[in-house]
Amino acid sequence: MKNVFSIAIRTTIVTLVLTGLIYPFVITGLAQVLFPWRANGSLVTDEKGQVVGSELIAQGRPPEKRAMTRLPHPVPTWVQRRKNSRTV
């Protein structure tokens, strides 16, 4: 019985190391070597060389424009109550 638990624990640890550590590092390394222009994403930089956004997702916006789009309170039409059997 003790031998079965030992085998199960060793198998779990080996699987964890293979799938959780070795595989991701190998795939990331291959991506960096084979596709260096795509492996780091489509980052957009400003004239100072700082990353300011992405070409594809999560577009960066200046703080002044972000502040203007925030509303001080929620709009009532965004929250709609569900009808249930007790509402008339």
Side-chain angles (χ1 to χ4, degrees):
M1 190 69 162
K2 196 173 189 180
N3 190 21
V4 173
F5 288 124
S6 169
I7 292 171
I9 289 174
R10 280 187 285 165
T11 304
T12 302
I13 290 172
V14 168
T15 303
L16 177 71
V17 169
L18 281 175
T19 61
L21 297 174
I22 295 174
Y23 178 76
F25 284 127
V26 168
I27 296 301
T28 302
L30 283 174
Q32 290 289 341
V33 170
L34 297 175
F35 308 106
W37 63 93
R38 297 190 119 191
N40 294 325
S42 56
L43 303 176
V44 177
T45 56
D46 62 2
E47 55 276 349
K48 296 178 187 176
Q50 294 180 332
V51 176
V52 293
S54 172
E55 289 181 11
L56 301 176
I57 54 174
Q59 295 291 321
R61 293 191 353 200
E64 15 347 300
K65 285 195 176 186
R66 245 183 288 154
M68 290 187 322
T69 58
R70 272 193 222 128
L71 298 174
H73 52 80
V75 178
T77 57
W78 289 355
V79 181
Q80 297 179 3
R81 301 177 78 185
R82 277 188 352 185
K83 292 184 178 182
N84 60 24
S85 60
R86 289 195 269 164
T87 58
V88 179

